[in-house]
Amino acid sequence: MNVLVLNPNTSTDVTDLLIAAGRAVAGAGTTLVPATAAYGVPYIATRAEAQIGGAIVLEMLAERHAEVDAAIVAAFGDPGLHGARELFDIPVIGLAEAAMLTACMLGRRFAIVTFADALGPWYEDCVAVNGLAGRCAGVRTLDGSFRTLSTVQGEKEGLLVDLALRAVEEDEADVIILGGAPLAGLAGRVADRVPVPIVDPVAAAVKQAEALVALSPRKATAGTFRRPAAKTATGLPDALARRIQHRD
Amino acid sequence: MNVLVLNPNTSTDVTDLLIAAGRAVAGAGTTLVPATAAYGVPYIATRAEAQIGGAIVLEMLAERHAEVDAAIVAAFGDPGLHGARELFDIPVIGLAEAAMLTACMLGRRFAIVTFADALGPWYEDCVAVNGLAGRCAGVRTLDGSFRTLSTVQGEKEGLLVDLALRAVEEDEADVIILGGAPLAGLAGRVADRVPVPIVDPVAAAVKQAEALVALSPRKATAGTFRRPAAKTATGLPDALARRIQHRD
Amino acid sequence: MNVLVLNPNTSTDVTDLLIAAGRAVAGAGTTLVPATAAYGVPYIATRAEAQIGGAIVLEMLAERHAEVDAAIVAAFGDPGLHGARELFDIPVIGLAEAAMLTACMLGRRFAIVTFADALGPWYEDCVAVNGLAGRCAGVRTLDGSFRTLSTVQGEKEGLLVDLALRAVEEDEADVIILGGAPLAGLAGRVADRVPVPIVDPVAAAVKQAEALVALSPRKATAGTFRRPAAKTATGLPDALARRIQHRD
Amino acid sequence: MNVLVLNPNTSTDVTDLLIAAGRAVAGAGTTLVPATAAYGVPYIATRAEAQIGGAIVLEMLAERHAEVDAAIVAAFGDPGLHGARELFDIPVIGLAEAAMLTACMLGRRFAIVTFADALGPWYEDCVAVNGLAGRCAGVRTLDGSFRTLSTVQGEKEGLLVDLALRAVEEDEADVIILGGAPLAGLAGRVADRVPVPIVDPVAAAVKQAEALVALSPRKATAGTFRRPAAKTATGLPDALARRIQHRD
Amino acid sequence: MNVLVLNPNTSTDVTDLLIAAGRAVAGAGTTLVPATAAYGVPYIATRAEAQIGGAIVLEMLAERHAEVDAAIVAAFGDPGLHGARELFDIPVIGLAEAAMLTACMLGRRFAIVTFADALGPWYEDCVAVNGLAGRCAGVRTLDGSFRTLSTVQGEKEGLLVDLALRAVEEDEADVIILGGAPLAGLAGRVADRVPVPIVDPVAAAVKQAEALVALSPRKATAGTFRRPAAKTATGLPDALARRIQHRD
Amino acid sequence: MNVLVLNPNTSTDVTDLLIAAGRAVAGAGTTLVPATAAYGVPYIATRAEAQIGGAIVLEMLAERHAEVDAAIVAAFGDPGLHGARELFDIPVIGLAEAAMLTACMLGRRFAIVTFADALGPWYEDCVAVNGLAGRCAGVRTLDGSFRTLSTVQGEKEGLLVDLALRAVEEDEADVIILGGAPLAGLAGRVADRVPVPIVDPVAAAVKQAEALVALSPRKATAGTFRRPAAKTATGLPDALARRIQHRD
């Protein structure tokens, strides 16, 4: 099966990290198809950027959905995920969603640990939107700047492990989620330094995408995720307009 | 004071309805400044459309925010509102938010009544995001199609009153909110046929905008609504890119 | 319009503070009408005092409601508010309610900061009764005694600013509410020392009263805030008995 | 032990019903001491009346608390209960509170069934204030008027049984609470017509009062139910003023 | 009346503590009947042990229920309680349940304090299952090992008082529950060192058992606690099989 | 990989259904290992039976865990799941848990539809324990008896489809879960008659087991799912005793 790994950021080196971490757990028959946003910001970190990035997700999916069996919205925080699930027929999974639901099978409460405090409020909103606040022990973030997105996981490795340990000890987290696409692949390297299971969101998302494709759920034609009725659209990118107008 | 009434839909006749209903309650010194989306869909009704429309809100605000004292996101469901509140310095208020908070001063629980069932799920998500599910008696929607957006309030007047009556009797609503920008102005005409207070969202939003301007709250430089740090942005509309890059 | 500022405490100097802070934001056509309780306690701080003070609110409103267009229950904690909303036809707004709902338009979560720890439990109950616990980052109170009610805002100014800063940093509050009628007017003086918006409850309440009067909601004749049916009443203060008996 | 059965209504015939139903379950050493409000309304049914009645509860307790080992606030809805618990040293229990907590030991969710729809909103507020909404299957009320308070339980017996049956079948209630002091004693007569346990609030309250007296909990000197510090009080009934001023 | 005090642990010395603490508050006509598990673990402290211990509770009750008027599941955490309430006709009460519901009549929020941190997660689950998370200020546990179960209350007395004081000061607990059967009887000895009411779970459970017997609620034949229909059972202990098969 | 499909009921024909439905979606390298309880009841339907069945799950896992890479507790309602997750080192997944978390990726709210109303309360408890009440649109059950467990899915197929349709239309379910092990395999046959995705719990559980094995999470040595410390155990089945005593 083909699974689109859709990075709604413009950072191709982060896409590379995502693909590498995803391939490490993908099944034999799974091909991960990378896609990086052609415009936008290098990494989404705030509500405003998620609003814009989510619209880019819809545009990218409108262009690529027919080529793949499932898609992963590969920014933790899942910009545009629910709109995508409504608009397209293939399974679409978010990094945060997949990580949180997977974590729920490993413990009572998970903590999300990430590298930049700008990400905190957005991640907390994401937990709430998923109705999982009761399963979340907290979001812990590092202060301070970092050199580059693609190297931040190495630069901050020790600090992130410390933060994870504090989440276990002080917040009673049963599971740690390393949030943020730039941390893709880190979980494996630090697992033996943290005394509870660690979830790598892109790894979780790849397995959940494979699971959904295997279960082959039908596209809803009723309920709140049915495809919206055809509608006039003016001035939108062509592929997206066609999807909204039911010309695709 | 100048208050931008920002319709993120392309329907100028709905903008006219909004301005008329807003002017009916605006204070002597308030000028309502209309703005209608130059592209997008005629009316936002689903999560996908709200994702796209919310990005349009940010773009429009980037172009106009310096001209006004406050802005109203004039689509019930408030697309882009939280991103706007983060990115800009002026107060930004949503129709749904203003209507719900105003309704909280008039009763224990409000019901939202609207003209198209496609709107239901989006409105329910909006109630939840505002943390007001405990104050909401339900969302009730009409089945069936309608002729035009700008005349739907007349066409469906009787049915909407019936729906409001059922919300009062069966759902124990203390207050009715007539959701959806195309219903702007209807509340006043039907108030004597519904035995509880009715809130017109645009009227509520105009008064809340005036209230916030009078209170002149400072822009946050801390907390989750501080302005995001300057960031590289590629390929975004010019005004929006300048705002993100701190060149505005 | 005339707005009754009803202080259910016996402290006329606090009434003066409330009127001054309210006038600073009131519209051109708004007259604030002061009223101070003729009996009771100097300031309500506990559940028992709120029980008694709330009954005094109803008695005072029974005497004055016909003279005004709206009323503000001017003790943070809103004693008697819901009973008043039920019993009278004019809009009645509480200081805490108005402050919290206004704060919801300025951030995700507000913190309430006040000058005496005796007030904490009552304020927390008030947040819960309003269904806003999910929007509240916490209630922070000062230890220690103070000299006089009418001067406590000057005496404790520095400590209150410190408490607000801790609420922002440690509790992730996006907005600060300075709770307690004796702090009326302080918000304006300290706004530049706190990095998030500060809400002055009486200022918020005045603007919300003006908003409701402009929206002119009808009195409910159904739902849980309809006026109670006429009932026998024995030994109650005359105006209140008349209102309960529908002789007013 | 002596347990004050404090009826904050002026209806002495309801006090008689309460005492009779309480005595049927009271222990050998328990004396129930009746008290009926000297002023107020015949039966509290709304928020406004509960506000006034709760202040009367405090006044009556100030006069009588030294004579008894515990007190029951004998109006379902528990007016003034939390203030009383704060202000006095003896255990004070509410009819609704005792009934709901007792019901929690008999099933997962209880329904409250009562004789007048005016009581519904107040009872729902009471459930919420106790943090027991998750244990409540609903509040069901009869429409229509009734002849007298002291005979309503006979007049409506069949209708109340029907309502209880619907709460079991449609709302999945595991336990029925017959709310409202005028229904005291009815539970026993109809128990064999309802297929789940029925709780009589005054019976439950008497047993809970006995339980608390036997456990002899200390009066809090910390926490939110410590006695408030002495305070000036002007114009209040004498016994209540003395209690507030720490002269009692 | 006869009340079975069913210790699902194998520690008879803890049963002795429970009986002694229960007798101190039991009414004149109450006989406490001790029962200790013949197999299992010395004290249940985890979810797995509670799963096993709960099945032992059902087996023990199947053997003894006809001899008594009510039963207490005498392990804090209440293993098997809801199954027992379903399967048997007599009232069955849990230590944790009785302690928490009793505490609700003594303050707004209770804290649970216990002697071993292994117990924390199980107790937290128990609070949640009872729907009382909103009334719980937290669970605080001691680190470190202890010598014997039956002497741990003496060995840790000072540390437990310190923990209770921190729960009052830092967590705003209004009431302290000393959780864990091995602490039975300690509450009375330390009450004057803790400034809020302390609840001894077995004492609370005895009084609640007496209350329920006095109220004589009928066994449900509808709702979720009706007795399950007769069912085939293979290889289960004889008394339990008979009860499941309706041969008892 | 080897995945134990552990049926805690004594019905081997249901085990056969589970294995068949699981194999239909299992990956190429996955072997499903069947296990059926040697004693207990034919199908768990109530809290008491789940209490007993959960202990059987622990006993069966103690005997088999070393042979497999993961285990599925194959009764919807997940008896013993959390204890198993604590006690053993391999991933353990429940049918209900897997179905609900999978459903969360397919819509906002799922409904659980099943064949016997006796199952309703247990399933509702299960939703609550997982903290997913906010994602659940309801549990709908059929009245009436059925012939045999292994043929109930054919006998009730039409009625179950009708129930699913009502859950979509009346409860606004976005996803249907066919709860109950005896329905294993039915989802595929009826998918084209229900307008939203349908989840087959055993299919979901097999894919989630495969996902967890691929992610190879470490066993927690901290947090609430760490293995309990070694403990004395008397009279328990041998394999289980050895696991509790750390001799395994």
Side-chain angles (χ1 to χ4, degrees), chain D residues 85 105 130 135 174 194-195 197 208 218 221-222 224, chain E residues 85 105 130 135 174 194-195 197 208 218 221 224:
Chain D
R85 188 164 286 155
M105 292 181 286
N130 279 275
R135 301 295 295 267
D174 289 324
V194 176
Q208 295 300 348
R218 60 166 298 164
T221 58
T224 84
Chain E
R85 188 164 287 156
M105 291 181 286
N130 279 275
R135 301 294 296 265
D174 287 326
V194 176
Q208 295 299 348
R218 61 164 298 164
T221 58
T224 84

PDB file of all heavy atoms in Angstrom, chain D residues 85 105 130 135 174 194-195 197 208 218 221-222 224, chain E residues 85 105 130 135 174 194-195 197 208 218 221 224:
ATOM      1  N   ARG D  85     -22.852  24.876  57.071  1.00  0.00           N
ATOM      2  CA  ARG D  85     -21.727  23.982  57.392  1.00  0.00           C
ATOM      3  C   ARG D  85     -20.470  24.778  57.756  1.00  0.00           C
ATOM      4  O   ARG D  85     -19.634  24.327  58.529  1.00  0.00           O
ATOM      5  CB  ARG D  85     -21.462  23.092  56.166  1.00  0.00           C
ATOM      6  CG  ARG D  85     -20.468  21.987  56.389  1.00  0.00           C
ATOM      7  CD  ARG D  85     -20.547  20.953  55.286  1.00  0.00           C
ATOM      8  NE  ARG D  85     -21.730  20.140  55.426  1.00  0.00           N
ATOM      9  CZ  ARG D  85     -22.345  19.480  54.426  1.00  0.00           C
ATOM     10  NH1 ARG D  85     -21.854  19.554  53.200  1.00  0.00           N
ATOM     11  NH2 ARG D  85     -23.413  18.764  54.663  1.00  0.00           N
ATOM     12  N   MET D 105     -24.963   4.508  46.863  1.00  0.00           N
ATOM     13  CA  MET D 105     -24.608   3.175  47.369  1.00  0.00           C
ATOM     14  C   MET D 105     -25.588   2.103  46.902  1.00  0.00           C
ATOM     15  O   MET D 105     -25.434   0.938  47.240  1.00  0.00           O
ATOM     16  CB  MET D 105     -24.550   3.194  48.900  1.00  0.00           C
ATOM     17  CG  MET D 105     -23.372   4.032  49.404  1.00  0.00           C
ATOM     18  SD  MET D 105     -23.251   4.057  51.206  1.00  0.00           S
ATOM     19  CE  MET D 105     -24.606   5.156  51.603  1.00  0.00           C
ATOM     20  N   ASN D 130     -23.402  19.659  43.799  1.00  0.00           N
ATOM     21  CA  ASN D 130     -22.832  18.531  44.528  1.00  0.00           C
ATOM     22  C   ASN D 130     -21.833  17.727  43.699  1.00  0.00           C
ATOM     23  O   ASN D 130     -21.287  16.742  44.191  1.00  0.00           O
ATOM     24  CB  ASN D 130     -23.953  17.610  45.029  1.00  0.00           C
ATOM     25  CG  ASN D 130     -24.582  18.126  46.313  1.00  0.00           C
ATOM     26  OD1 ASN D 130     -24.090  17.860  47.406  1.00  0.00           O
ATOM     27  ND2 ASN D 130     -25.633  18.928  46.202  1.00  0.00           N
ATOM     28  N   ARG D 135     -23.701  11.010  38.135  1.00  0.00           N
ATOM     29  CA  ARG D 135     -24.443   9.939  38.795  1.00  0.00           C
ATOM     30  C   ARG D 135     -25.953  10.127  38.663  1.00  0.00           C
ATOM     31  O   ARG D 135     -26.724   9.321  39.207  1.00  0.00           O
ATOM     32  CB  ARG D 135     -24.068   9.872  40.300  1.00  0.00           C
ATOM     33  CG  ARG D 135     -22.600   9.624  40.602  1.00  0.00           C
ATOM     34  CD  ARG D 135     -22.092   8.262  40.158  1.00  0.00           C
ATOM     35  NE  ARG D 135     -22.667   7.143  40.836  1.00  0.00           N
ATOM     36  CZ  ARG D 135     -22.164   6.541  41.923  1.00  0.00           C
ATOM     37  NH1 ARG D 135     -21.037   6.998  42.446  1.00  0.00           N
ATOM     38  NH2 ARG D 135     -22.745   5.503  42.465  1.00  0.00           N
ATOM     39  N   ASP D 174     -31.055   3.580  38.177  1.00  0.00           N
ATOM     40  CA  ASP D 174     -30.945   2.408  39.059  1.00  0.00           C
ATOM     41  C   ASP D 174     -31.653   2.634  40.388  1.00  0.00           C
ATOM     42  O   ASP D 174     -31.878   1.677  41.142  1.00  0.00           O
ATOM     43  CB  ASP D 174     -29.476   2.125  39.380  1.00  0.00           C
ATOM     44  CG  ASP D 174     -28.717   1.580  38.198  1.00  0.00           C
ATOM     45  OD1 ASP D 174     -29.309   0.819  37.417  1.00  0.00           O
ATOM     46  OD2 ASP D 174     -27.526   1.905  38.071  1.00  0.00           O
ATOM     47  N   VAL D 194     -42.379  -0.098  42.264  1.00  0.00           N
ATOM     48  CA  VAL D 194     -41.246   0.419  41.478  1.00  0.00           C
ATOM     49  C   VAL D 194     -40.128  -0.616  41.568  1.00  0.00           C
ATOM     50  O   VAL D 194     -39.794  -1.049  42.669  1.00  0.00           O
ATOM     51  CB  VAL D 194     -40.789   1.790  42.037  1.00  0.00           C
ATOM     52  CG1 VAL D 194     -39.565   2.290  41.297  1.00  0.00           C
ATOM     53  CG2 VAL D 194     -41.918   2.810  41.960  1.00  0.00           C
ATOM     54  N   PRO D 195     -39.547  -1.018  40.440  1.00  0.00           N
ATOM     55  CA  PRO D 195     -38.646  -2.186  40.456  1.00  0.00           C
ATOM     56  C   PRO D 195     -37.205  -1.886  40.855  1.00  0.00           C
ATOM     57  O   PRO D 195     -36.345  -2.735  40.662  1.00  0.00           O
ATOM     58  CB  PRO D 195     -38.717  -2.675  39.006  1.00  0.00           C
ATOM     59  CG  PRO D 195     -38.966  -1.439  38.206  1.00  0.00           C
ATOM     60  CD  PRO D 195     -39.825  -0.553  39.079  1.00  0.00           C
ATOM     61  N   PRO D 197     -34.635   0.367  43.997  1.00  0.00           N
ATOM     62  CA  PRO D 197     -34.731   1.004  45.315  1.00  0.00           C
ATOM     63  C   PRO D 197     -35.231   2.442  45.223  1.00  0.00           C
ATOM     64  O   PRO D 197     -34.877   3.165  44.288  1.00  0.00           O
ATOM     65  CB  PRO D 197     -33.285   0.969  45.826  1.00  0.00           C
ATOM     66  CG  PRO D 197     -32.610  -0.117  45.055  1.00  0.00           C
ATOM     67  CD  PRO D 197     -33.287  -0.155  43.716  1.00  0.00           C
ATOM     68  N   GLN D 208     -28.119   9.621  57.969  1.00  0.00           N
ATOM     69  CA  GLN D 208     -26.812  10.256  57.760  1.00  0.00           C
ATOM     70  C   GLN D 208     -26.459  11.162  58.931  1.00  0.00           C
ATOM     71  O   GLN D 208     -25.296  11.267  59.327  1.00  0.00           O
ATOM     72  CB  GLN D 208     -26.786  11.035  56.441  1.00  0.00           C
ATOM     73  CG  GLN D 208     -26.919  10.161  55.199  1.00  0.00           C
ATOM     74  CD  GLN D 208     -25.807   9.118  55.052  1.00  0.00           C
ATOM     75  OE1 GLN D 208     -24.788   9.151  55.755  1.00  0.00           O
ATOM     76  NE2 GLN D 208     -26.018   8.159  54.164  1.00  0.00           N
ATOM     77  N   ARG D 218     -14.402  16.376  63.785  1.00  0.00           N
ATOM     78  CA  ARG D 218     -14.099  17.669  64.390  1.00  0.00           C
ATOM     79  C   ARG D 218     -14.546  18.810  63.469  1.00  0.00           C
ATOM     80  O   ARG D 218     -14.648  18.647  62.264  1.00  0.00           O
ATOM     81  CB  ARG D 218     -12.607  17.794  64.667  1.00  0.00           C
ATOM     82  CG  ARG D 218     -11.758  17.691  63.406  1.00  0.00           C
ATOM     83  CD  ARG D 218     -10.352  18.162  63.685  1.00  0.00           C
ATOM     84  NE  ARG D 218     -10.395  19.556  64.075  1.00  0.00           N
ATOM     85  CZ  ARG D 218      -9.424  20.198  64.672  1.00  0.00           C
ATOM     86  NH1 ARG D 218      -8.312  19.549  64.987  1.00  0.00           N
ATOM     87  NH2 ARG D 218      -9.511  21.466  64.980  1.00  0.00           N
ATOM     88  N   THR D 221     -10.796  23.780  61.313  1.00  0.00           N
ATOM     89  CA  THR D 221     -10.201  25.100  61.601  1.00  0.00           C
ATOM     90  C   THR D 221      -9.315  25.531  60.431  1.00  0.00           C
ATOM     91  O   THR D 221      -8.634  26.548  60.499  1.00  0.00           O
ATOM     92  CB  THR D 221      -9.381  25.064  62.901  1.00  0.00           C
ATOM     93  OG1 THR D 221      -8.366  24.056  62.762  1.00  0.00           O
ATOM     94  CG2 THR D 221     -10.264  24.726  64.091  1.00  0.00           C
ATOM     95  N   ALA D 222      -9.316  24.712  59.386  1.00  0.00           N
ATOM     96  CA  ALA D 222      -8.626  25.073  58.138  1.00  0.00           C
ATOM     97  C   ALA D 222      -9.519  24.593  57.003  1.00  0.00           C
ATOM     98  O   ALA D 222     -10.556  23.977  57.237  1.00  0.00           O
ATOM     99  CB  ALA D 222      -7.253  24.418  58.070  1.00  0.00           C
ATOM    100  N   THR D 224     -11.896  25.024  53.428  1.00  0.00           N
ATOM    101  CA  THR D 224     -12.907  25.989  53.007  1.00  0.00           C
ATOM    102  C   THR D 224     -14.149  25.966  53.885  1.00  0.00           C
ATOM    103  O   THR D 224     -15.026  26.793  53.701  1.00  0.00           O
ATOM    104  CB  THR D 224     -13.294  25.800  51.519  1.00  0.00           C
ATOM    105  OG1 THR D 224     -14.268  24.783  51.407  1.00  0.00           O
ATOM    106  CG2 THR D 224     -12.096  25.452  50.660  1.00  0.00           C
TER     107      THR D 224
ATOM    108  N   ARG E  85     -22.913  -6.072  44.287  1.00  0.00           N
ATOM    109  CA  ARG E  85     -24.195  -5.346  44.394  1.00  0.00           C
ATOM    110  C   ARG E  85     -25.205  -5.882  43.379  1.00  0.00           C
ATOM    111  O   ARG E  85     -26.406  -5.832  43.617  1.00  0.00           O
ATOM    112  CB  ARG E  85     -23.919  -3.859  44.168  1.00  0.00           C
ATOM    113  CG  ARG E  85     -25.074  -2.947  44.415  1.00  0.00           C
ATOM    114  CD  ARG E  85     -24.623  -1.505  44.541  1.00  0.00           C
ATOM    115  NE  ARG E  85     -23.931  -1.280  45.805  1.00  0.00           N
ATOM    116  CZ  ARG E  85     -23.046  -0.303  46.017  1.00  0.00           C
ATOM    117  NH1 ARG E  85     -22.724   0.530  45.039  1.00  0.00           N
ATOM    118  NH2 ARG E  85     -22.477  -0.166  47.197  1.00  0.00           N
ATOM    119  N   MET E 105     -20.187  14.951  52.903  1.00  0.00           N
ATOM    120  CA  MET E 105     -21.068  15.700  53.819  1.00  0.00           C
ATOM    121  C   MET E 105     -20.279  16.561  54.798  1.00  0.00           C
ATOM    122  O   MET E 105     -20.864  17.249  55.633  1.00  0.00           O
ATOM    123  CB  MET E 105     -21.966  14.728  54.590  1.00  0.00           C
ATOM    124  CG  MET E 105     -23.006  14.069  53.681  1.00  0.00           C
ATOM    125  SD  MET E 105     -24.106  12.937  54.558  1.00  0.00           S
ATOM    126  CE  MET E 105     -22.978  11.550  54.823  1.00  0.00           C
ATOM    127  N   ASN E 130     -16.239   6.064  40.801  1.00  0.00           N
ATOM    128  CA  ASN E 130     -17.358   6.563  41.589  1.00  0.00           C
ATOM    129  C   ASN E 130     -17.869   7.918  41.091  1.00  0.00           C
ATOM    130  O   ASN E 130     -18.803   8.461  41.681  1.00  0.00           O
ATOM    131  CB  ASN E 130     -16.954   6.662  43.067  1.00  0.00           C
ATOM    132  CG  ASN E 130     -17.053   5.317  43.776  1.00  0.00           C
ATOM    133  OD1 ASN E 130     -18.120   4.951  44.235  1.00  0.00           O
ATOM    134  ND2 ASN E 130     -15.965   4.552  43.804  1.00  0.00           N
ATOM    135  N   ARG E 135     -14.816  15.962  43.417  1.00  0.00           N
ATOM    136  CA  ARG E 135     -14.841  16.168  44.864  1.00  0.00           C
ATOM    137  C   ARG E 135     -13.523  15.757  45.526  1.00  0.00           C
ATOM    138  O   ARG E 135     -13.396  15.818  46.743  1.00  0.00           O
ATOM    139  CB  ARG E 135     -15.991  15.354  45.510  1.00  0.00           C
ATOM    140  CG  ARG E 135     -17.388  15.684  44.995  1.00  0.00           C
ATOM    141  CD  ARG E 135     -17.875  17.087  45.340  1.00  0.00           C
ATOM    142  NE  ARG E 135     -18.041  17.346  46.726  1.00  0.00           N
ATOM    143  CZ  ARG E 135     -19.191  17.229  47.413  1.00  0.00           C
ATOM    144  NH1 ARG E 135     -20.276  16.828  46.778  1.00  0.00           N
ATOM    145  NH2 ARG E 135     -19.250  17.521  48.690  1.00  0.00           N
ATOM    146  N   ASP E 174     -10.687  19.730  52.277  1.00  0.00           N
ATOM    147  CA  ASP E 174     -11.546  20.069  53.416  1.00  0.00           C
ATOM    148  C   ASP E 174     -11.683  18.896  54.380  1.00  0.00           C
ATOM    149  O   ASP E 174     -12.148  19.087  55.514  1.00  0.00           O
ATOM    150  CB  ASP E 174     -12.955  20.408  52.928  1.00  0.00           C
ATOM    151  CG  ASP E 174     -13.034  21.738  52.234  1.00  0.00           C
ATOM    152  OD1 ASP E 174     -12.292  22.659  52.629  1.00  0.00           O
ATOM    153  OD2 ASP E 174     -13.822  21.858  51.283  1.00  0.00           O
ATOM    154  N   VAL E 194      -4.814  17.266  63.111  1.00  0.00           N
ATOM    155  CA  VAL E 194      -5.157  17.634  61.731  1.00  0.00           C
ATOM    156  C   VAL E 194      -6.344  18.600  61.808  1.00  0.00           C
ATOM    157  O   VAL E 194      -7.327  18.299  62.482  1.00  0.00           O
ATOM    158  CB  VAL E 194      -5.526  16.372  60.914  1.00  0.00           C
ATOM    159  CG1 VAL E 194      -5.973  16.750  59.506  1.00  0.00           C
ATOM    160  CG2 VAL E 194      -4.343  15.413  60.860  1.00  0.00           C
ATOM    161  N   PRO E 195      -6.267  19.747  61.145  1.00  0.00           N
ATOM    162  CA  PRO E 195      -7.271  20.797  61.378  1.00  0.00           C
ATOM    163  C   PRO E 195      -8.570  20.643  60.584  1.00  0.00           C
ATOM    164  O   PRO E 195      -9.341  21.593  60.533  1.00  0.00           O
ATOM    165  CB  PRO E 195      -6.521  22.059  60.943  1.00  0.00           C
ATOM    166  CG  PRO E 195      -5.580  21.584  59.889  1.00  0.00           C
ATOM    167  CD  PRO E 195      -5.169  20.189  60.275  1.00  0.00           C
ATOM    168  N   PRO E 197     -11.844  17.589  59.416  1.00  0.00           N
ATOM    169  CA  PRO E 197     -12.371  16.270  59.774  1.00  0.00           C
ATOM    170  C   PRO E 197     -11.583  15.150  59.092  1.00  0.00           C
ATOM    171  O   PRO E 197     -11.164  15.291  57.939  1.00  0.00           O
ATOM    172  CB  PRO E 197     -13.816  16.306  59.248  1.00  0.00           C
ATOM    173  CG  PRO E 197     -14.176  17.747  59.135  1.00  0.00           C
ATOM    174  CD  PRO E 197     -12.894  18.462  58.830  1.00  0.00           C
ATOM    175  N   GLN E 208     -22.722   3.435  57.393  1.00  0.00           N
ATOM    176  CA  GLN E 208     -23.502   3.401  56.151  1.00  0.00           C
ATOM    177  C   GLN E 208     -24.231   2.070  56.008  1.00  0.00           C
ATOM    178  O   GLN E 208     -25.355   2.015  55.506  1.00  0.00           O
ATOM    179  CB  GLN E 208     -22.607   3.666  54.930  1.00  0.00           C
ATOM    180  CG  GLN E 208     -22.000   5.074  54.900  1.00  0.00           C
ATOM    181  CD  GLN E 208     -23.045   6.193  54.843  1.00  0.00           C
ATOM    182  OE1 GLN E 208     -24.241   5.950  54.612  1.00  0.00           O
ATOM    183  NE2 GLN E 208     -22.608   7.409  55.101  1.00  0.00           N
ATOM    184  N   ARG E 218     -35.340  -2.100  48.534  1.00  0.00           N
ATOM    185  CA  ARG E 218     -35.625  -3.368  47.880  1.00  0.00           C
ATOM    186  C   ARG E 218     -34.489  -3.719  46.917  1.00  0.00           C
ATOM    187  O   ARG E 218     -33.769  -2.858  46.432  1.00  0.00           O
ATOM    188  CB  ARG E 218     -36.938  -3.275  47.119  1.00  0.00           C
ATOM    189  CG  ARG E 218     -36.920  -2.210  46.021  1.00  0.00           C
ATOM    190  CD  ARG E 218     -38.070  -2.418  45.071  1.00  0.00           C
ATOM    191  NE  ARG E 218     -37.941  -3.706  44.436  1.00  0.00           N
ATOM    192  CZ  ARG E 218     -38.912  -4.325  43.798  1.00  0.00           C
ATOM    193  NH1 ARG E 218     -40.097  -3.763  43.738  1.00  0.00           N
ATOM    194  NH2 ARG E 218     -38.710  -5.470  43.227  1.00  0.00           N
ATOM    195  N   THR E 221     -35.111  -5.160  40.495  1.00  0.00           N
ATOM    196  CA  THR E 221     -35.444  -6.175  39.491  1.00  0.00           C
ATOM    197  C   THR E 221     -35.408  -5.544  38.088  1.00  0.00           C
ATOM    198  O   THR E 221     -35.729  -6.181  37.104  1.00  0.00           O
ATOM    199  CB  THR E 221     -36.843  -6.777  39.741  1.00  0.00           C
ATOM    200  OG1 THR E 221     -37.807  -5.717  39.727  1.00  0.00           O
ATOM    201  CG2 THR E 221     -36.888  -7.483  41.081  1.00  0.00           C
ATOM    202  N   THR E 224     -29.543  -1.341  36.098  1.00  0.00           N
ATOM    203  CA  THR E 224     -28.274  -2.017  35.834  1.00  0.00           C
ATOM    204  C   THR E 224     -27.789  -2.852  37.011  1.00  0.00           C
ATOM    205  O   THR E 224     -26.793  -3.545  36.890  1.00  0.00           O
ATOM    206  CB  THR E 224     -27.171  -1.024  35.382  1.00  0.00           C
ATOM    207  OG1 THR E 224     -26.560  -0.443  36.513  1.00  0.00           O
ATOM    208  CG2 THR E 224     -27.722   0.046  34.463  1.00  0.00           C
TER     209      THR E 224
END
